[in-house]
Short mmCIF file of all heavy atoms in Angstrom, two decimals:
data_model
loop_
_atom_site.label_atom_id
_atom_site.label_comp_id
_atom_site.label_asym_id
_atom_site.label_seq_id
_atom_site.Cartn_x
_atom_site.Cartn_y
_atom_site.Cartn_z
N LEU A 1 -3.61 -4.89 7.35
CA LEU A 1 -4.45 -3.79 6.90
C LEU A 1 -5.93 -4.07 7.28
O LEU A 1 -6.37 -5.21 7.28
CB LEU A 1 -4.34 -3.64 5.41
CG LEU A 1 -2.95 -3.45 4.85
CD1 LEU A 1 -3.00 -3.39 3.31
CD2 LEU A 1 -2.31 -2.16 5.35
N ALA A 2 -6.68 -2.98 7.56
CA ALA A 2 -8.09 -3.09 7.71
C ALA A 2 -8.71 -2.41 6.49
O ALA A 2 -8.74 -1.16 6.35
CB ALA A 2 -8.51 -2.37 9.01
N VAL A 3 -9.21 -3.19 5.59
CA VAL A 3 -9.70 -2.70 4.28
C VAL A 3 -11.27 -2.62 4.41
O VAL A 3 -11.94 -3.68 4.50
CB VAL A 3 -9.29 -3.58 3.12
CG1 VAL A 3 -9.80 -2.99 1.79
CG2 VAL A 3 -7.80 -3.72 3.09
N PRO A 4 -11.86 -1.41 4.30
CA PRO A 4 -13.33 -1.33 4.34
C PRO A 4 -13.95 -2.17 3.26
O PRO A 4 -13.53 -2.14 2.12
CB PRO A 4 -13.60 0.16 4.18
CG PRO A 4 -12.33 0.84 4.62
CD PRO A 4 -11.20 -0.11 4.25
N GLY A 5 -14.98 -2.92 3.65
CA GLY A 5 -15.69 -3.81 2.71
C GLY A 5 -15.02 -5.12 2.51
O GLY A 5 -15.54 -6.00 1.84
N VAL A 6 -13.80 -5.29 3.02
CA VAL A 6 -13.09 -6.54 2.86
C VAL A 6 -12.68 -7.14 4.24
O VAL A 6 -12.99 -8.34 4.47
CB VAL A 6 -11.77 -6.30 2.10
CG1 VAL A 6 -10.93 -7.61 2.01
CG2 VAL A 6 -12.03 -5.77 0.69
N GLY A 7 -12.21 -6.31 5.12
CA GLY A 7 -11.87 -6.79 6.49
C GLY A 7 -10.39 -6.83 6.66
O GLY A 7 -9.58 -6.07 6.02
N ARG A 8 -9.93 -7.67 7.59
CA ARG A 8 -8.49 -7.79 7.90
C ARG A 8 -7.77 -8.50 6.82
O ARG A 8 -8.21 -9.52 6.30
CB ARG A 8 -8.35 -8.56 9.24
CG ARG A 8 -6.93 -8.81 9.65
CD ARG A 8 -6.88 -9.65 10.91
NE ARG A 8 -5.52 -10.02 11.29
CZ ARG A 8 -4.80 -11.00 10.90
NH1 ARG A 8 -5.32 -11.77 9.93
NH2 ARG A 8 -3.54 -11.23 11.33
N VAL A 9 -6.64 -7.89 6.41
CA VAL A 9 -5.75 -8.52 5.38
C VAL A 9 -4.32 -8.44 5.87
O VAL A 9 -3.83 -7.37 6.30
CB VAL A 9 -5.94 -7.79 4.05
CG1 VAL A 9 -4.91 -8.31 3.06
CG2 VAL A 9 -7.33 -7.86 3.50
N LEU A 10 -3.64 -9.57 5.88
CA LEU A 10 -2.20 -9.62 6.22
C LEU A 10 -1.46 -9.86 4.89
O LEU A 10 -1.61 -10.95 4.30
CB LEU A 10 -1.92 -10.74 7.18
CG LEU A 10 -0.42 -10.80 7.66
CD1 LEU A 10 -0.08 -9.54 8.46
CD2 LEU A 10 -0.19 -12.02 8.47
N THR A 11 -0.65 -8.92 4.48
CA THR A 11 -0.03 -8.99 3.15
C THR A 11 1.28 -8.30 3.10
O THR A 11 1.61 -7.49 3.97
CB THR A 11 -1.02 -8.37 2.08
OG1 THR A 11 -0.55 -8.60 0.79
CG2 THR A 11 -1.22 -6.87 2.32
N ARG A 12 2.05 -8.58 2.07
CA ARG A 12 3.32 -7.90 1.86
C ARG A 12 3.08 -6.55 1.28
O ARG A 12 2.30 -6.43 0.36
CB ARG A 12 4.25 -8.76 0.89
CG ARG A 12 4.66 -10.11 1.36
CD ARG A 12 5.35 -10.85 0.26
NE ARG A 12 5.80 -12.20 0.65
CZ ARG A 12 5.15 -13.31 0.55
NH1 ARG A 12 3.89 -13.24 0.05
NH2 ARG A 12 5.68 -14.47 0.89
N THR A 13 3.72 -5.52 1.79
CA THR A 13 3.45 -4.15 1.38
C THR A 13 4.74 -3.37 1.18
O THR A 13 5.80 -3.69 1.78
CB THR A 13 2.57 -3.40 2.32
OG1 THR A 13 3.28 -3.19 3.53
CG2 THR A 13 1.27 -4.06 2.61
N TYR A 14 4.65 -2.30 0.40
CA TYR A 14 5.61 -1.21 0.42
C TYR A 14 5.12 -0.21 1.48
O TYR A 14 4.02 0.33 1.34
CB TYR A 14 5.74 -0.51 -0.90
CG TYR A 14 6.44 -1.26 -1.99
CD1 TYR A 14 5.77 -1.63 -3.16
CD2 TYR A 14 7.80 -1.56 -1.93
CE1 TYR A 14 6.37 -2.28 -4.21
CE2 TYR A 14 8.48 -2.22 -2.98
CZ TYR A 14 7.72 -2.59 -4.07
OH TYR A 14 8.40 -3.24 -5.16
N GLU A 15 5.97 0.11 2.43
CA GLU A 15 5.67 1.19 3.43
C GLU A 15 4.34 1.03 4.14
O GLU A 15 3.69 2.02 4.46
CB GLU A 15 5.72 2.55 2.71
CG GLU A 15 7.13 2.93 2.22
CD GLU A 15 8.10 3.22 3.36
OE1 GLU A 15 8.12 4.42 3.81
OE2 GLU A 15 8.81 2.31 3.76
N GLY A 16 3.90 -0.21 4.30
CA GLY A 16 2.74 -0.44 5.16
C GLY A 16 1.41 -0.16 4.48
O GLY A 16 0.39 -0.04 5.15
N SER A 17 1.36 0.00 3.15
CA SER A 17 0.13 0.29 2.49
C SER A 17 0.03 -0.31 1.14
O SER A 17 1.07 -0.70 0.51
CB SER A 17 -0.09 1.84 2.31
OG SER A 17 -0.39 2.47 3.55
N VAL A 18 -1.19 -0.52 0.66
CA VAL A 18 -1.48 -0.92 -0.73
C VAL A 18 -2.32 0.14 -1.35
O VAL A 18 -3.38 0.46 -0.90
CB VAL A 18 -2.30 -2.27 -0.75
CG1 VAL A 18 -2.71 -2.57 -2.18
CG2 VAL A 18 -1.50 -3.40 -0.13
N PRO A 19 -1.75 0.80 -2.41
CA PRO A 19 -0.39 0.68 -3.00
C PRO A 19 0.63 1.43 -2.13
O PRO A 19 0.28 2.06 -1.13
CB PRO A 19 -0.52 1.34 -4.36
CG PRO A 19 -1.55 2.38 -4.15
CD PRO A 19 -2.51 1.89 -3.14
N GLY A 20 1.89 1.37 -2.63
CA GLY A 20 2.90 2.16 -1.93
C GLY A 20 2.82 3.62 -2.38
O GLY A 20 1.93 4.02 -3.11
N PRO A 21 3.80 4.41 -1.89
CA PRO A 21 3.78 5.83 -2.11
C PRO A 21 3.88 6.12 -3.65
O PRO A 21 4.54 5.34 -4.40
CB PRO A 21 4.94 6.40 -1.39
CG PRO A 21 5.30 5.34 -0.43
CD PRO A 21 4.89 4.05 -0.99
N THR A 22 3.29 7.21 -4.13
CA THR A 22 3.50 7.71 -5.46
C THR A 22 4.76 8.53 -5.55
O THR A 22 4.94 9.44 -4.72
CB THR A 22 2.31 8.58 -5.95
OG1 THR A 22 1.12 7.73 -6.03
CG2 THR A 22 2.56 9.16 -7.30
N LEU A 23 5.65 8.24 -6.48
CA LEU A 23 6.91 8.93 -6.63
C LEU A 23 6.81 9.85 -7.87
O LEU A 23 6.48 9.40 -8.96
CB LEU A 23 8.04 7.93 -6.86
CG LEU A 23 8.16 6.78 -5.80
CD1 LEU A 23 9.26 5.82 -6.14
CD2 LEU A 23 8.26 7.30 -4.36
N ARG A 24 7.10 11.13 -7.60
CA ARG A 24 6.97 12.13 -8.68
C ARG A 24 8.32 12.74 -8.96
O ARG A 24 9.03 13.22 -8.07
CB ARG A 24 5.93 13.23 -8.31
CG ARG A 24 4.54 12.69 -8.05
CD ARG A 24 3.55 13.83 -7.80
NE ARG A 24 3.18 14.50 -9.02
CZ ARG A 24 2.03 14.31 -9.62
NH1 ARG A 24 1.13 13.52 -9.16
NH2 ARG A 24 1.80 15.00 -10.75
N VAL A 25 8.70 12.73 -10.26
CA VAL A 25 9.98 13.26 -10.72
C VAL A 25 9.80 13.96 -12.04
O VAL A 25 8.73 13.91 -12.64
CB VAL A 25 11.00 12.11 -10.90
CG1 VAL A 25 11.45 11.56 -9.58
CG2 VAL A 25 10.45 11.01 -11.81
N ARG A 26 10.85 14.67 -12.43
CA ARG A 26 10.90 15.30 -13.73
C ARG A 26 12.08 14.83 -14.50
O ARG A 26 13.08 14.32 -13.90
CB ARG A 26 10.91 16.86 -13.59
CG ARG A 26 9.72 17.42 -12.80
CD ARG A 26 9.79 18.93 -12.73
NE ARG A 26 9.62 19.53 -14.04
CZ ARG A 26 8.44 19.87 -14.60
NH1 ARG A 26 7.33 19.60 -13.90
NH2 ARG A 26 8.37 20.41 -15.76
#
């Protein structure tokens, strides 16, 4: 990831992002 203000970060992720997707249900 390229995090503005932080720089390059190599990390474990859900779906390639921090955080992962928001799941909406009823």
Side-chain angles (χ1 to χ4, degrees):
L1 304 175
V3 182
V6 177
R8 175 186 179 273
V9 174
L10 183 66
T11 188
R12 298 173 178 91
T13 66
Y14 287 116
E15 293 291 273
S17 285
V18 175
T22 296
L23 309 178
R24 300 186 76 103
V25 289
R26 301 182 68 87

